[in-house]
């Protein structure tokens, strides 16, 4: 090698560069330092980036397979035969779970083709997609290009709340965590498991989540039946459930649907023929028609469904320990199946009878339900309704104001007057609701006393307007009146205070030590009275005396609570409790349930509206099918009460409830002051039912209908059930431990004197009577003056009467003067001037009313002395012997 030449070249180079040799050396060193520093910075940057990425990954949520499974499934209510009645869901729980083998391949492939074409190949992330999205972002400045796999989308929905970060940095952080977790998730789940979770999770518009709920919403059928055209519609929604909603934006969905079908064709999921058929399908016309049909099928829960929903929520809390919020989320988002205890045939009978206004004496007067929200000047909102309106009228214009109308115009007249007085105008009204149900309302509960299943109910007379609205049979607490005498007085009295049906006390004016003076509904007093008679005729004074002197409020409330009465308070430990005067009243459901315990031989079984609740995995989480109940009273006590309440129906205050069809009925009437509440609760050997009738506002019903209208309706419903559903004639069975004795009908003691009227009475064998009656008190009185008979009392005016006590015997003695008059024996008139002396006769009368008022009109020449009656000769003692 020619080194000189080579060196010459080097020299020439430096020269050309115009840089001295020494200077070049310094520059070269600086360059090396710069490169080294740059390398250090680069390495530090990479290290920092790696550390930052490590921090992002380390801060990713710790998840398990369960965390990506969809949450929130709609629940269903079925009748007892398994027929679907209604669905329960919240906005984000309208989801029906389906397994992957129930989702057809055409539907799976539609989502794969559009959302993640390499889903079956990658391990959770798609590098090609990431590069493509990054390149588009760098070149366009828009990083919205999708690169997320189905696995990442599942994580985004289930773990990261759907995304929606406020900054690009946070979005990148979430994307990195998604990718990391996607890699980890695919190590623990198969592709089918991931796809199943995804297709059950995604929001597909119209408040539907998952392909099954969406298919039912848009096509009215299961996702297992969808065509390629319909599958493409569903897959096209996922990107933007609002914008691609096929009901409201069919054009947008159709454009994306075409892309979906093209992708399916290109990726080999459809043949050309299948593609052409799908493209030609007028799927949006079907979607629109189904949407129109659904819009006219707005489902309002029935009263029974309302009651079942409320009871399931209550049981989730009380039996399974859920909080109120958790119970709601479970019922409306847990995919539960609720099976009702309702008997459809019985419910139909109840519905038909409640729809017949003839059963309510054609009382068609209208009530009022009105609500109004108003924006006040200070920006606050005030709420008014028909009750605030009623109070305003009572306090300002008419203390007798009632929300009862003949028509809508009358109601609006009162509303507008009230609004004008309060300054409510159209301009400051936010919202207003107006509805007129019948003013006179009623509720009905029918249940099986042996298993507690409620078979049918009526929550009112009108067609129901809203779901989970006010239900009179379960939520309205009303005063029970005399129906409560059984529960508060006679049941605890016989079972725990030594009373029998033959126990007696005096029906007479009575005042308790606290000054309470009950009055009888019949306006008088009937003297010595037994428990049976007091029940039969609903006697207030006798009931109160037994309650105060034998039972006590404490014992009564203890029994009532065991019978399922939950509305009693400390303020109810009073004497009026015996007659049904409660602080807050009681619901029809609880009254019927308490009487059902008597019908069930003394065992209380909680009334239930559902038989079982099954979770989405098929596990029974609530079960009422084998309720054993709790014994509250002896079986003998239950029979004795039943026997007395049979008399109520056959001969007492409840004869209107008698079915007269061979099925025995026992029950009790209840009427509150001024007939504000009318009740009848009774039972047969098969079923127990309670009916209530009244105004929601507790107005007086005097004169508005017959006071036994409700009892007739009770009987009519029960007769139809007996006849149409095949209930045969039946009587109440007499349990062991019951015997009979002949007792005095008044004192209830064993017959002791001839004065007793003996009757056969039932007794618990442990409480048979032992004393003999000596309670009859007799005295002879004058029928004319009512005093004790004296020496002046005529024989025909004397009468022996029985008295209940010595104090009832009249104190004075008869001082009646005899009434005499001279009578003409010929004409019967009062003797006059023309009456001959021989025709005059002095007669004594028991009262002035018996004295003749006409005078003798006989003429002297026509009067003849009375002809003595000839005395016949005696017949011969021996006819064959001639008389000489």
């Amino acid at each position: 090698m020619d080194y000189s030449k080579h060196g010459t070249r080097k020299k020439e180079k430096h020269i050309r560069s115009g840089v001295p040799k020494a200077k070049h050396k310094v520059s070269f060193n600086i360059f090396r330092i710069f490169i080294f520093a740059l390398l250090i910075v680069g390495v530090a940057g990479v290290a920092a980036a790696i550390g930052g990425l490590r921090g992002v990954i380390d801060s990713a949520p710790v998840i398990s397979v369960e965390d990506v499974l969809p949450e929130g499934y709609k629940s269903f209510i079925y009748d007892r035969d398994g027929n679907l009645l209604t669905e329960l869901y919240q906005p984000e729980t309208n989801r029906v779970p389906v397994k992957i083998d129930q989702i057809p391949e055409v539907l799976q492939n539609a989502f794969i083709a559009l959302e993640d074409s390499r889903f079956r190949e990658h391990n959770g992330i798609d590098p090609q997609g990431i590069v493509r999205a990054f390149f588009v972002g760098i070149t366009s400045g828009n990083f919205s290009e999708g690169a997320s796999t189905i696995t990442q989308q599942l994580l985004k929905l289930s773990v990261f709340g759907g995304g929606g970060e406020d900054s690009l940095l946070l979005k990148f952080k979430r994307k990195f965590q998604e990718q990391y977790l996607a890699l980890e998730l695919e190590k623990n789940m198969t592709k089918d498991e991931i796809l199943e979770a995804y297709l059950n999770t995604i929001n597909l518009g119209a408040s539907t989540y998952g392909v099954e709920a969406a298919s039912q919403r848009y096509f009215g059928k299961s996702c297992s039946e969808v065509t390629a055209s319909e599958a493409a519609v569903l897959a096209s929604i996922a990107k933007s459930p609002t914008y691609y909603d096929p009901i409201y934006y069919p054009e947008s969905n159709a454009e994306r649907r075409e892309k979906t079908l093209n992708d399916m064709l290109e990726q080999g999921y459809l043949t050309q023929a299948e593609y052409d058929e799908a493209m030609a399908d007028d799927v949006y016309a079907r979607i629109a028609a189904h949407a129109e049909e659904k819009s006219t099928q707005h489902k309002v829960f029935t009263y029974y469904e309302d009651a079942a929903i409320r009871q399931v929520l209550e049981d989730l809390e009380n039996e399974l320990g859920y909080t109120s919020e958790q119970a709601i989320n479970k019922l409306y988002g847990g995919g539960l199946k609720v099976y009702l205890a309702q008997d459809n045939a019985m419910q139909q009978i109840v519905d038909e009878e409640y729809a017949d206004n003839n059963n309510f004496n054609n009382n068609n007067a209208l009530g009022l339900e009105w609500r109004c929200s108003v924006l006040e000047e200070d920006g606050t909102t005030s709420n008014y309704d028909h009750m605030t309106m009623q109070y305003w009228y009572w306090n300002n214009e008419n203390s007798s104001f009632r929300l009862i109308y003949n028509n809508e115009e009358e109601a609006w007249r009162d509303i507008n007057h009230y609004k004008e007085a309060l300054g409510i105008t159209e301009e400051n009204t936010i919202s207003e609701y107006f509805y007129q149900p019948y003013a006179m309302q009623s509720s009905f509960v029918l249940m099986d006393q042996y298993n507690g299943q409620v078979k049918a109910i009526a929550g009112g007379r009108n067609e129901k307007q809203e779901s989970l609205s006010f239900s009179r049979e379960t939520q309205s607490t009303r005063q029970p009146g005399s129906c409560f005498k059984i529960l508060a007085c006679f049941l605890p009295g016989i079972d725990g205070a030594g009373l029998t049906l033959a126990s007696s006390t005096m029906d007479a004016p009575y005042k308790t030590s606290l000054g309470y003076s009950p009055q009888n509904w019949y306006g008088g007093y009937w003297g010595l009275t037994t428990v049976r008679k007091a029940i039969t005729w609903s006697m207030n004074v006798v009931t109160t005396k037994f309650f105060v002197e034998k039972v006590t409020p404490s014992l009564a409330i203890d029994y009532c609570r065991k019978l399922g009465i939950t509305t009693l308070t400390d303020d109810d430990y009073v004497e009026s409790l015996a007659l049904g005067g409660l602080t807050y009243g009681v619901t029809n459901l609880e009254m019927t349930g308490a009487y059902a315990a008597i019908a069930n031989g003394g065992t209380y079984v909680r009334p239930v509206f559902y038989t079982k609740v099954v979770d989405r995995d098929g596990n029974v989480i609530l079960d009422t099918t084998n309720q054993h109940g709790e014994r509250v009273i002896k079986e003998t006590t239950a029979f004795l009460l039943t026997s007395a309440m049979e008399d109520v129906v056959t001969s007492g205050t409840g004869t209107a409830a008698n079915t007269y069809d061979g099925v025995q009925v026992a029950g009790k009437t209840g009427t509150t002051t001024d007939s504000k509440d009318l009740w009848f609760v009774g039972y047969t050997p098969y079923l127990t039912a309670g009916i209530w009738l009244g105004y929601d506002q507790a107005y007086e019903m005097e004169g508005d209908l017959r006071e036994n209208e409700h009892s007739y309706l009770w009987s009519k419903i029960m007769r139809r059930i007996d006849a149409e559903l095949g209930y045969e004639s039946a009587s109440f069975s007499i349990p062991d431990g019951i015997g009979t004795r002949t007792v005095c009908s008044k004192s209830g003691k064993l017959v002791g004197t001839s004065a007793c009227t003996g009757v056969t009475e039932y007794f618990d064998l442990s409480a048979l009577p032992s004393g003999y009656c000596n309670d009859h008190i007799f005295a002879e009185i004058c029928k004319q003056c009512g005093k004790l008979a004296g020496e002046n009392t005529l024989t025909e005016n004397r009468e022996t009467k029985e008295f209940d006590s010595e104090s009832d015997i009249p104190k004075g003695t008869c001082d009646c003067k005899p009434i005499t008059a001279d009578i003409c024996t010929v004409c019967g008139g009062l003797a006059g001037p023309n009456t001959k002396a021989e025709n005059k006769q002095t007669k004594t009368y028991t009262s002035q009313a018996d004295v003749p008022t006409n005078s003798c009109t006989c003429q002297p020449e026509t009067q003849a002395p009375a002809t003595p009656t000839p005395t016949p000769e005696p017949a011969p003692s021996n006819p064959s012997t001639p008389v000489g």
Side-chain angles (χ1 to χ4, degrees):
M1 179 177 286
D2 187 350
Y3 289 103
S4 62
K5 192 172 185 180
H6 178 72
T8 302
R9 285 194 186 123
K10 286 178 73 178
K11 184 177 180 181
E12 288 175 352
K13 183 176 180 182
H14 286 298
I15 292 172
R16 283 198 303 269
S17 66
V19 180
K21 183 176 181 181
K23 251 183 178 181
H24 172 75
K25 191 171 184 179
V26 173
S27 298
F28 180 73
N29 290 333
I30 292 173
F31 176 73
R32 285 196 303 174
I33 294 170
F34 173 75
I35 293 300
F36 183 71
L38 188 63
L39 287 173
I40 292 175
V41 171
V43 170
V46 171
I50 293 173
L53 182 59
R54 183 76 257 172
V56 169
I57 292 174
D58 289 344
S59 64
V62 178
I63 65 168
S64 65
V65 171
E66 287 72 20
D67 293 317
V68 298
L69 298 180
E71 292 183 353
Y73 294 95
K74 70 167 65 174
S75 296
F76 303 91
I77 295 180
Y78 299 90
D79 67 15
R80 65 177 186 167
D81 298 322
N83 301 308
L84 178 63
L85 297 176
T86 193
E87 302 172 346
L88 304 174
Y89 55 87
Q90 294 172 318
E92 294 185 3
T93 64
N94 187 9
R95 178 184 288 111
V96 181
V98 283
K99 297 295 184 182
I100 193 67
D101 57 6
Q102 297 173 289
I103 304 173
E105 287 190 1
V106 69
L107 184 54
Q108 298 179 37
N109 294 335
F111 281 91
I112 291 173
L114 184 62
E115 297 292 333
D116 187 2
S117 61
R118 286 175 288 277
F119 171 70
R120 296 288 182 184
E121 303 164 11
H122 62 62
N123 60 353
I125 61 175
D126 182 8
Q128 294 182 44
I130 293 172
V131 171
R132 184 192 72 247
F134 183 76
F135 178 77
V136 172
I138 291 295
T139 56
S140 67
N142 182 1
F143 286 91
S144 63
E145 177 74 13
S148 294
T149 63
I150 284 177
T151 310
Q152 287 178 252
Q153 291 182 46
L154 176 60
L155 287 162
K156 175 183 174 182
L157 294 170
S158 303
V159 178
F160 294 101
E165 292 80 6
D166 295 332
S167 68
L168 187 61
L169 183 61
L170 290 175
K171 182 176 182 179
F172 278 141
K173 177 182 178 182
R174 189 254 303 164
K175 283 286 187 181
F176 285 134
Q177 291 179 339
E178 268 182 17
Q179 291 168 358
Y180 166 71
L181 292 175
L183 293 170
E184 295 298 311
L185 189 63
E186 294 231 1
K187 297 176 184 177
N188 296 285
M189 294 180 72
T190 67
K191 289 291 187 180
D192 278 351
E193 289 172 340
I194 292 171
L195 186 59
E196 177 184 308
Y198 172 73
L199 293 176
N200 277 294
T201 299
I202 49 176
N203 181 352
L204 291 175
S207 297
T208 63
Y209 291 80
V211 292
E212 178 65 14
S215 180
Q216 292 177 3
R217 177 66 179 89
Y218 298 123
F219 312 125
K221 61 184 178 182
S222 171
C223 71
S224 63
E225 305 173 57
V226 299
T227 64
S229 171
E230 294 164 342
V233 169
L234 296 178
S236 301
I237 300 171
K239 184 176 182 181
S240 176
T242 300
Y243 183 68
Y244 293 114
D245 186 320
I247 296 176
Y248 295 103
Y249 301 102
E251 297 84 3
S252 300
N253 184 276
E255 183 179 342
R256 188 161 174 81
R257 169 177 165 271
E258 183 175 352
K259 179 184 182 330
T260 304
L261 291 172
N262 285 330
D263 289 349
M264 294 177 73
L265 177 64
E266 291 174 5
Q267 296 172 34
Y269 293 126
L270 292 178
T271 65
Q272 187 65 49
E274 291 169 335
Y275 170 82
D276 293 340
E277 181 183 357
M279 286 296 296
D281 180 28
D282 189 10
V283 64
Y284 297 101
R286 295 199 305 277
I287 292 173
H290 183 67
E292 177 66 24
E293 180 183 351
K294 289 281 289 184
S295 68
T296 61
Q297 295 177 347
H298 176 62
K299 178 72 168 64
V300 174
F301 298 159
T302 65
Y303 284 114
Y304 198 102
E305 290 164 354
D306 280 359
I309 289 169
R310 292 184 176 112
Q311 190 170 63
V312 170
L313 289 172
E314 179 183 316
D315 288 354
L316 287 172
E317 292 183 48
N318 296 339
E319 296 188 26
L320 300 184
Y322 286 72
T323 65
S324 176
E325 183 178 356
Q326 289 172 334
I328 291 173
N329 291 336
K330 186 69 173 179
L331 181 57
Y332 286 87
L336 304 181
K337 294 180 179 179
V338 180
Y339 293 88
L340 302 186
Q342 184 179 35
D343 186 294
N344 294 333
M346 294 183 187
Q347 186 65 62
Q348 182 176 350
I349 291 173
V350 172
D351 290 343
E352 289 172 356
E353 294 303 330
Y354 264 72
D356 184 356
N357 285 335
N358 291 324
N359 291 324
F360 299 93
N361 201 30
N362 288 312
N363 190 311
N364 297 324
L366 300 174
L368 177 62
E369 291 180 10
W370 172 76
R371 298 189 294 270
C372 183
S373 294
V374 176
L375 181 64
E376 303 292 357
E377 292 182 357
D378 60 1
T380 60
T381 300
S382 297
N383 297 305
Y384 305 91
D385 61 18
H386 54 280
M387 293 306 294
T388 62
M389 183 176 87
Q390 176 175 259
Y391 294 141
W392 182 86
Y393 272 100
W394 283 351
N395 294 327
N396 294 277
E397 295 199 356
N398 181 3
S399 60
S400 301
F401 177 82
R402 303 204 304 176
L403 296 168
I404 300 178
Y405 302 97
N406 293 310
N407 51 54
E408 183 177 327
E409 290 74 21
E410 291 182 0
W412 276 114
R413 182 187 62 207
D414 284 346
I415 292 172
N416 289 332
H417 180 61
Y418 173 62
K419 290 168 67 175
E420 181 180 357
L422 270 63
I424 300 174
T425 64
E426 290 186 12
E427 289 72 20
N428 62 10
T429 297
I430 300 173
S431 63
E432 192 166 14
Y433 172 82
F434 176 91
Y435 174 62
Q436 284 192 280
Y438 288 119
M440 184 175 293
Q441 286 294 336
S442 178
S443 70
F444 187 84
V445 175
L446 176 69
M447 64 179 288
D448 184 325
Q449 56 255 31
Y450 304 109
N451 58 25
Q453 294 180 4
V454 178
K455 296 301 184 182
I457 61 174
R461 293 175 58 193
N462 297 85
E463 183 177 348
K464 203 161 175 285
Q465 301 295 306
E466 299 174 294
S467 295
L468 296 175
S469 57
F470 180 66
S471 296
R472 294 173 184 85
E473 79 292 349
T474 58
Q475 294 180 303
S476 179
T477 53
R478 304 296 297 231
Q479 295 301 319
S482 294
C483 277
F484 217 66
K485 291 174 179 174
I486 297 295
L487 307 182
C489 180
F490 297 115
L491 180 149
I494 293 175
D495 198 71
L499 292 182
T500 72
L501 291 181
S503 298
S504 62
T505 191
M506 194 65 65
D507 182 20
Y510 178 69
K511 179 181 289 187
T512 70
S513 60
L514 298 177
Y516 176 58
S517 297
Q519 302 296 315
N520 290 318
W521 59 269
Y522 42 83
Y525 304 98
W526 291 352
L528 197 60
T529 302
T530 63
V531 166
R532 177 182 287 274
K533 185 177 180 181
I535 293 174
T536 303
W537 291 104
S538 196
M539 300 170 70
N540 293 341
V541 174
V542 171
T543 301
T544 304
K545 291 179 74 173
F546 280 130
F547 181 76
V548 171
E549 298 170 6
K550 296 287 187 179
V551 178
T552 74
S554 179
L555 182 65
I557 287 179
D558 182 53
Y559 271 95
C560 286
R561 286 176 172 161
K562 291 178 181 178
L563 290 166
I565 306 299
T566 63
T567 53
L568 299 176
T569 71
D570 290 343
D571 294 330
D572 289 312
Y573 286 85
V574 291
E575 292 130 338
S576 58
L577 176 70
L579 306 184
L582 311 184
T583 303
Y584 294 113
V586 64
T587 67
N588 192 344
L589 180 67
E590 291 190 354
M591 282 292 293
T592 304
Y595 271 73
I598 305 173
N600 190 28
T603 299
Y604 173 77
V605 182
R606 182 179 71 124
V608 291
F609 293 91
Y610 70 92
T611 56
K612 62 181 178 179
V613 177
V614 181
D615 67 15
R616 64 187 183 90
D617 296 320
N619 302 309
V620 177
I621 61 173
L622 292 172
D623 190 348
T624 68
T625 55
N626 294 305
Q627 291 195 110
H628 299 296
E630 176 185 357
R631 176 160 296 285
V632 178
I633 58 174
K634 298 187 290 288
E635 189 176 11
T636 53
T637 301
F639 171 77
L640 295 174
L641 292 169
T642 297
S643 176
M645 287 191 284
E646 282 186 79
D647 286 358
V648 172
V649 176
T650 57
S651 59
T653 58
T655 55
N658 201 332
T659 58
Y660 301 104
D661 61 358
V663 179
Q664 278 191 317
V665 177
K668 184 70 184 73
T669 53
T671 305
T672 61
T673 304
D674 300 319
S675 299
K676 293 178 180 178
D677 299 276
L678 299 178
W679 293 81
F680 182 80
V681 187
Y683 49 91
T684 70
Y686 304 111
L687 299 164
T688 302
I691 190 169
W692 166 85
L693 183 68
Y695 292 112
D696 285 338
Q697 296 79 15
Y699 300 143
E700 298 177 8
M701 287 190 293
E702 290 284 0
D704 290 351
L705 79 171
R706 295 177 298 176
E707 284 198 356
N708 52 10
E709 202 81 44
H710 58 301
S711 297
Y712 283 119
L713 178 55
W714 189 97
S715 174
K716 189 176 181 181
I717 291 173
M718 300 301 281
R719 282 200 309 272
R720 283 193 59 186
I721 289 173
D722 291 344
E724 296 175 25
L725 304 185
Y727 287 100
E728 299 178 353
S729 299
S731 302
F732 296 108
S733 58
I734 303 175
D736 294 337
I738 289 291
T740 60
R741 291 292 186 272
T742 300
V743 297
C744 173
S745 62
K746 298 198 69 171
S747 70
K749 299 177 182 179
L750 295 170
V751 172
T753 68
S754 59
C756 295
T757 299
V759 294
T760 301
E761 185 57 275
Y762 290 109
F763 293 89
D764 184 310
L765 290 178
S766 65
L768 293 172
S770 57
Y772 287 87
C773 177
N774 191 27
D775 296 345
H776 299 276
I777 302 172
F778 297 94
E780 190 176 48
I781 64 167
C782 171
K783 293 190 292 184
Q784 183 69 26
C785 66
K787 298 177 181 180
L788 289 172
E791 59 181 14
N792 292 328
T793 306
L794 298 176
T795 301
E796 56 266 34
N797 283 348
R798 294 177 180 271
E799 177 184 35
T800 300
K801 292 187 66 176
E802 182 179 358
F803 295 91
D804 294 314
S805 66
E806 294 285 351
S807 61
D808 293 333
I809 299 175
K811 299 297 186 289
T813 302
C814 171
D815 54 0
C816 296
K817 303 298 184 185
I819 302 173
T820 59
D822 290 335
I823 303 300
C824 173
T825 57
V826 176
C827 67
L830 290 171
N834 295 328
T835 306
K836 292 184 177 180
E838 58 270 25
N839 291 341
K840 289 183 179 181
Q841 182 181 21
T842 300
K843 295 185 66 175
T844 302
Y845 295 92
T846 59
S847 69
Q848 186 64 46
D850 296 332
V851 179
T853 57
N854 60 304
S855 299
C856 173
T857 57
C858 297
Q859 299 300 320
E861 59 275 11
T862 63
Q863 293 188 36
T867 303
T869 301
T871 302
E873 295 182 1
S877 60
N878 187 351
S880 62
T881 304
V883 178

